[in-house]
Each structure stands twice: as structure tokens, then as C-alpha cells.
Amino acid sequence: MASGGYESAPAAPAQPSSSTGGYGGEDDVHDPPSRNTYLAKGKTMLTKTRTKLANLVAPEDNGPVNIEGLRDGYDRAIGELRKKCGRTKYADTLLFNISTMAHYVDTLQSSHAQLAKRYDGAVSTLSERNTALYGIGDKIQVEMRKLDPSILADVSKTTPAPPQMLLDVLLEGYARNQGSISTLTYQFHQAEKERSNIQRHLDDERGFHKSRLVKQQQIHARELNDMRQTHINEVRELQQRQINELDNVQQTRLNELGFARRERENAEHQHRLEIQELNTVQAGQTASLHSEINSLKSLHDSKLANLIADYESQLNTQKVISDKEKAALRKALTSGDRFQPMADQVLSSRFKDLILLVSKLAGEPFRHKEINGQRLEEFGRQEGLQQWVPREGHRFVVENMIWGNLAAGCFRSPFGVLGGVGEEMGGMWSQLFRRGRSPGYLQHQPPISECPPPDDLSERWRHTTLEALRRSLSSPTSQAKASHATHLSILTKTLVTTLSSISLQDHTPDIQNIVNGASSLALDFGIQRYRLEIFGAGENEEVEMGEMFEDLNDLTWVKGARGRVLFVISPGLKRLGGTRGGSWEQGKVIIPAGVYLRTDG
């Protein structure tokens, strides 16, 4: 039979064979079954086949036994046991047993995984076979559709044939379908049988492993109980041991505290006794000190009364002497003045002599070339100067240094040459006649003179006081003489120390000669009726060459030329007022100041 229709019927219809299904016999030849009977039998077979295929489902779920909960509980128990047994003497044995139990559980899990894999394979095989049976059932349905009466009726309409031919065709198709159904049924029974065998094998292995796992769990539970009981006993022993040790320590501490308490009580008792003794001694000493204080107080009062009486006596004596001196000073101020002032030529000559002495002393170290080379270079870089001084100008720097000390020690004030006594009188002079200050001499030195503005009264007080002080210098016991000598000695030592830093020679005699000359000249300046002052210029000050300034570094200077001062080499001398005083607004330059001008513009 082709898939698209029926084959042509033979000339003589063949009898159905018993091998086709056994539905016809010898009587059937004479009395064949009807078409409805065949159709009913075919539908019945198809229904049975569909029922068997529908009942052929996957076996029940026999997946791996869920032992995760058991394993989690086991792990927790093992963890607790590890913590409890970590410090016991059976820790190594317990840990070994724990590792062995873990190995047993891993082995069970591995065996169970293999069984689950085999079971999954069997289930997959059964599923594939069921799929094949379902495919065969679909083919049977297609073949049965071909036996539909409507199709046969259409065939009988288009191809006239006797009923016996149609019946033979149906029987032939039924026999073929019956053979396919028998084959499928056999295959289904075989698959079912194999599935049953696999299921039974899986059940046996599952039961075996389950019983084995239960036994292992029981063994492990007993071991855990034994280890737990052992650990509990050891913990109890440790607790009891610690309690005993703590009791012993506590008893020892109590004994020590009792001993310390007794020691402290003894020390407190001894301390109280010592305090009582000290209080007694203190009371005696306090009484003695009070009596001594009273006696010293009475002695102090008597001495104070004597000192007050002596002071009042001396004060009266000094008052009488002061009154006498004031009367003499008043008489001198009001009487005629027979003083002969120094002429300008004499002043110029004497001041030039002092300038020559200082210039000669400043050039001595360079003339003999007995100088300290390193210190010499330092003079060329004197601190504060805005320009480096070449070597040929170093002697001018030394001269500037000497004049700075002389101006500060002798010419800053008319009274300054007398030392401490002169400072006191100069301060009194400034306070009486309104303190003032003349222009400075050197930028890095104290101001040259500190004097009040000149007027008749202040200048008369000045020269009268200085004449009296100068006369007192001849008295061996004069305080002014001692102060004057000390001041000159200090000035001499200062200059000697300064020059010794650059010169290898001893210039003490020359320095003493210069200091004495400056002192004598300063005293003569102070008693003049006019005021004499030395002057200079500040660093970087612009000056004009001529009457007041001359450039000693460049002897070819021209009068009226201007330049900026680097430093003053020697001071100038000027006179304020007339030869007998008065006319204080008038002034005259006696000696111009020698300056060192800047060469860098």
C-alpha cells in the first residue's frame, strides 16, 4: 500500500489469512464480516494504544536523598566541639575523629551523587523511548485515517469495485497496522521492564546507603556525646582548679592586706608621736623667735631714729654749702666778665693739629704694612656702607672710626668729657633750658652734641658751671677729677682695642696723646662765651664742596661741586654767636668737614 492511496485489486480476490490477525476463519469465506465490524475493531485497537501511550509517563521522582540539613547540623556540632576542645589534652584525638567523620560523610555524598547520575541516565533513556512510542502512535493514527469510511466511499465512487475487494484492502491495511501495534506493544513492555529493573536497583541502593548513613550518624552521635561528656568533665575540673587557685590567691591577698594594715597603723601611731614632738619644739622656737623679733624691732627703731637725725644734720650742712655756692654763682653771673675768648685762628690751629694727629695714627698701620689682611678687607666692606671702599681708602675708614669714638666721648656735649659727673650736669642743663639736639656727625654713631637752643642765660650757665668744674680738676679729692680720669681711660682702651684688631704695633702712646688733646680742647670749647660745635653729614646726603665740606679722597675737587657722602672722614668745626656771646643766630665755619664721596653716582 502506498502512502497516497490503494493498489489496484487483483482479478480474483484472495482469501484472508489467519496470520493477519485471526479475525476471520473458514466460515468467513462464505460469510465475511461487515465493514462496520472492521472499523469498530480498528478504533478499539487505536483507543487501547492511545491509553497505553498516555499511561507511559516518567517514573516517580527518585532524586538524591536531601542530606544538606543533616550536613549543616553536623558542621555546627563539629564547630562547637572544636571550640570547646581547643584547650583540652584530647584535642588532637578529637580533631582526628572529626576529620574521619567528615571523610565518611564526603564518601556518602560521592556515592549518592553517582547513584543520582545513573538514575538520571535511566530516566533520560525512558523519556527517549516514550518519545519514540508517541511517534509510532502518531503514525498509527495517520494510517487509521486512511481507513475512514468517507475516504472509502470516495474511493468506491471514483473506482467501482466489488465489496469483496474493498474488504480485502481493509483487511490488508488492518493486518499491517496490527503488526505495527504488536511491535510497539512489545517495545513498550520491554522499556517498562527495564525501567522497573532500574527503579528496583535504585531503591535497593538508596535503602543500603540510607541504612549505612543512619548507622554512621548513630556512631558519630555516640562519639560526639562521649567527647562532649569528656569535655564537660575536663571543664569542670578546670573550673574547680581555677576556683581553688583563686581561693588561695584571695587568702594570700587578705593576709598581705592585714599585714599592710597593721604596718600602716603602726606608722600612723609613730607619725602622731613625731607630730606631737615637733609641735612642742615649734612652740618653743616660736616663743624664742617672737622675743628675738621684738628685740630686733626695738634695735631697728633706735637705729632708724639715729639715721634720721644724721640725715637731717647732713641735709642741713649740704643746704648751707649749696646756699653758699648759689650765692657765689649768682655773684659770678651778675658781675663783669674779664674772660679772654679764643680767636678763630687759634681754634682753627688747635683743631687742625688734632685732625693731623688722628690722620697720622690712622695711616700708621698702612705705612709700615704691619696690618691684619683679613681685617683690612673687612674695613672695605664696613657694615651699613652702600658702596665697597677700595684698599687705598681704608685709612679713611680707620680715621672715621677714631673720630667716631672721640666725638662720642669728648664733643657730644660740653660736659661729656667729664664722664659721669659731666653727664649729670649736661642732663641738668638740658632740663633747665629745654632739651635740644644738634645735627648728627656720623650715621652709625651717637649724636655729636646734645644741647639746648643757645641763648644768653643757658650759655652763661654752661660756661660758668664748666669753669667751676674745670677748677675742681686740680683738687686731688675732687669727684669731677676721678670721673674725668675714668672716662678718658675707658676711651683710650676702646681705641687701643679697635686699632689692635688691624695693626700689629702698639699705638697706646699715640692714642693717649690724642685723647688728652681732645679732652683739653673740649674743656677749652666748653668755657668759651660763644658755642662751638662739630658737624658732619649723613650717609648718602648730597653736599656742596666749599666752605663747609671738602673731598679728602679727591684733592682735585672744585668749589661748588656736589656729591653724595659715603662717610665723614673728619668733622668740621663751627662757631655760634659773637666772641663775647649774644647774636646766636649768627654762625661761622672754622674748619670744613672732610668727607668721602660716593663714586657710583
Side-chain angles (χ1 to χ4, degrees):
M1 185 188 316
S3 61
Y6 299 96
E7 296 179 355
S8 300
Q15 298 294 329
S17 173
S18 60
S19 63
T20 60
Y23 290 100
E26 293 180 357
D27 295 337
D28 296 333
V29 176
H30 303 286
D31 191 10
S34 64
R35 182 180 64 179
N36 294 331
T37 303
Y38 284 108
L39 292 174
K41 289 183 178 182
K43 290 181 178 180
T44 302
M45 292 295 292
L46 181 60
T47 302
K48 291 180 178 179
T49 301
R50 287 179 175 175
T51 303
K52 289 182 178 182
L53 290 175
N55 292 330
L56 189 61
V57 296
E60 62 180 354
D61 185 13
N62 294 317
V65 178
N66 184 14
I67 63 171
E68 292 301 327
L70 176 63
R71 183 58 186 264
D72 291 342
Y74 170 76
D75 290 340
R76 286 194 298 272
I78 293 303
E80 294 294 332
L81 189 59
R82 285 177 187 272
K83 294 179 180 179
K84 294 179 179 180
C85 298
R87 290 183 289 179
T88 62
K89 62 182 179 179
Y90 301 107
D92 296 335
T93 305
L94 294 175
L95 293 176
F96 176 76
N97 293 335
I98 290 169
S99 301
T100 305
M101 293 166 64
H103 177 70
Y104 288 159
V105 173
D106 293 338
T107 304
L108 290 176
Q109 284 187 341
S110 177
S111 301
H112 192 275
Q114 292 177 0
L115 291 176
K117 186 176 180 181
R118 292 175 60 186
Y119 172 75
D120 292 339
V123 170
S124 177
T125 303
L126 288 177
S127 176
E128 292 175 357
R129 292 181 179 178
N130 288 338
T131 303
L133 290 176
Y134 281 121
I136 295 172
D138 293 337
K139 291 181 180 181
I140 292 174
Q141 290 180 1
V142 173
E143 293 297 329
M144 292 302 296
R145 288 194 195 97
K146 296 178 181 180
L147 299 178
D148 195 286
S150 61
I151 297 175
L152 293 176
D154 294 337
V155 172
S156 62
K157 292 178 182 179
T158 57
T159 306
Q164 186 61 40
M165 180 179 295
L166 294 174
L167 181 61
D168 291 337
V169 172
L170 292 173
L171 289 176
E172 183 179 359
Y174 175 76
R176 291 177 181 175
N177 292 331
Q178 188 65 29
S180 298
I181 291 172
S182 299
T183 301
L184 291 173
T185 303
Y186 175 75
Q187 291 177 356
F188 172 75
H189 286 309
Q190 289 296 113
E192 184 69 22
K193 184 177 180 181
E194 185 175 357
R195 188 190 68 78
S196 299
N197 292 334
I198 291 172
Q199 182 65 39
R200 186 169 55 256
H201 181 67
L202 290 174
D203 292 339
D204 293 341
E205 287 190 358
R206 184 184 296 109
F208 172 74
H209 287 294
K210 187 174 182 180
S211 62
R212 183 176 178 183
L213 182 60
V214 170
K215 291 179 180 179
Q216 290 292 337
Q217 290 177 349
Q218 292 175 355
I219 293 171
H220 292 166
R222 287 195 297 271
E223 291 179 353
L224 288 174
N225 290 330
D226 294 340
M227 288 187 290
R228 185 182 297 107
Q229 188 62 36
T230 302
H231 178 66
I232 290 172
N233 294 334
E234 291 178 353
V235 170
R236 288 176 179 174
E237 291 178 0
L238 290 174
Q239 289 179 347
Q240 187 62 35
R241 189 181 304 166
Q242 291 178 353
I243 290 172
N244 295 334
E245 291 178 355
L246 289 175
D247 291 339
N248 295 332
V249 171
Q250 185 177 7
Q251 187 62 36
T252 303
R253 293 283 178 84
L254 290 175
N255 296 334
E256 292 176 353
L257 288 175
F259 178 76
R261 187 181 296 109
R262 289 190 297 273
E263 290 288 333
R264 186 186 65 184
E265 291 175 354
N266 295 332
E268 289 178 352
H269 179 69
Q270 185 68 24
H271 182 62
R272 283 193 294 270
L273 294 178
E274 292 176 355
I275 289 175
Q276 291 177 359
E277 293 178 359
L278 290 175
N279 289 333
T280 304
V281 174
Q282 182 182 8
Q285 291 180 352
T286 302
S288 175
L289 289 174
H290 278 301
S291 62
E292 186 177 354
I293 289 171
N294 292 330
S295 61
L296 290 175
K297 188 175 180 180
S298 60
L299 180 61
H300 172 72
D301 292 340
S302 62
K303 287 184 178 181
L304 181 61
N306 295 331
L307 288 174
I308 291 174
D310 293 341
Y311 173 76
E312 290 178 351
S313 175
Q314 293 178 5
L315 183 61
N316 293 329
T317 303
Q318 291 292 334
K319 187 176 181 181
V320 171
I321 296 173
S322 177
D323 291 340
K324 291 181 180 180
E325 291 179 352
K326 287 180 180 180
L329 182 60
R330 187 179 298 108
K331 180 179 180 181
L333 290 174
T334 57
S335 62
D337 188 6
R338 298 179 181 180
F339 179 77
Q340 295 297 324
M342 295 175 62
D344 293 342
Q345 294 80 4
V346 177
L347 292 173
S348 175
S349 176
R350 292 187 62 183
F351 199 73
K352 285 182 179 180
D353 291 341
L354 183 61
I355 291 175
L356 289 175
L357 289 175
V358 173
S359 178
K360 180 181 178 181
L361 178 62
E364 282 296 323
F366 302 95
R367 185 177 298 109
H368 298 284
K369 299 187 182 302
E370 297 177 354
I371 57 176
N372 186 333
Q374 181 179 1
R375 183 60 177 165
L376 178 63
E377 293 297 326
E378 292 179 2
F379 273 99
R381 300 174 177 82
Q382 187 179 19
E383 182 181 0
L385 295 182
Q386 299 182 6
Q387 177 186 336
W388 177 72
V389 179
R391 178 166 297 186
E392 57 270 15
H394 290 177
R395 65 184 183 89
F396 296 132
V397 177
V398 177
E399 192 172 349
N400 165 274
M401 176 190 62
I402 296 173
W403 270 113
N405 287 277
L406 291 177
C410 297
F411 301 103
R412 183 179 59 187
S413 166
F415 300 93
V417 71
L418 298 176
V421 173
E423 292 292 335
E424 293 179 3
M425 299 306 295
M428 185 184 301
W429 181 41
S430 299
Q431 291 177 3
L432 289 174
F433 302 101
R434 193 165 61 84
R435 182 187 181 92
R437 178 170 294 182
S438 298
Y441 164 53
L442 292 176
Q443 183 178 6
H444 302 288
Q445 297 291 342
I448 295 177
S449 60
E450 297 180 351
C451 309
D455 57 35
D456 294 340
L457 186 59
S458 67
E459 295 307 309
R460 181 171 294 183
W461 192 97
R462 182 253 312 161
H463 68 73
T464 302
T465 304
L466 272 173
E467 285 178 345
L469 291 173
R470 185 174 183 179
R471 286 193 297 269
S472 67
L473 294 178
S474 60
S475 174
T477 60
S478 172
Q479 185 178 1
K481 182 177 181 179
S483 176
H484 178 245
T486 302
H487 180 68
L488 295 184
S489 176
I490 293 174
L491 180 58
T492 302
K493 289 180 180 179
T494 302
L495 289 173
V496 169
T497 302
T498 303
L499 283 180
S500 64
S501 63
I502 62 170
S503 177
L504 303 179
Q505 290 181 331
D506 184 14
H507 301 283
T508 304
D510 296 333
I511 293 174
Q512 289 177 346
N513 186 25
I514 291 173
V515 171
N516 292 332
S519 172
S520 176
L521 189 59
L523 290 173
D524 290 339
F525 284 178
I527 64 175
Q528 299 303 313
R529 298 323 185 237
Y530 46 79
R531 180 182 293 186
L532 291 171
E533 289 184 351
I534 60 175
F535 65 92
E539 184 180 355
N540 208 34
E541 180 182 349
E542 186 176 1
V543 297
E544 181 180 352
M545 300 296 102
E547 182 183 5
M548 293 188 65
F549 298 97
E550 58 182 358
D551 186 2
L552 298 184
N553 186 40
D554 183 9
L555 299 180
T556 62
W557 59 272
V558 180
K559 185 176 181 180
R562 303 184 68 84
R564 293 188 178 276
V565 177
L566 183 62
F567 60 90
V568 176
I569 300 175
S570 61
L573 179 64
K574 65 180 179 179
R575 172 172 57 82
L576 298 178
T579 57
R580 309 284 310 176
S583 302
W584 302 110
E585 68 279 359
Q586 298 178 2
K588 180 181 179 181
V589 176
I590 306 299
I591 298 294
V595 296
Y596 190 104
L597 296 182
R598 297 183 57 169
T599 60
D600 57 353

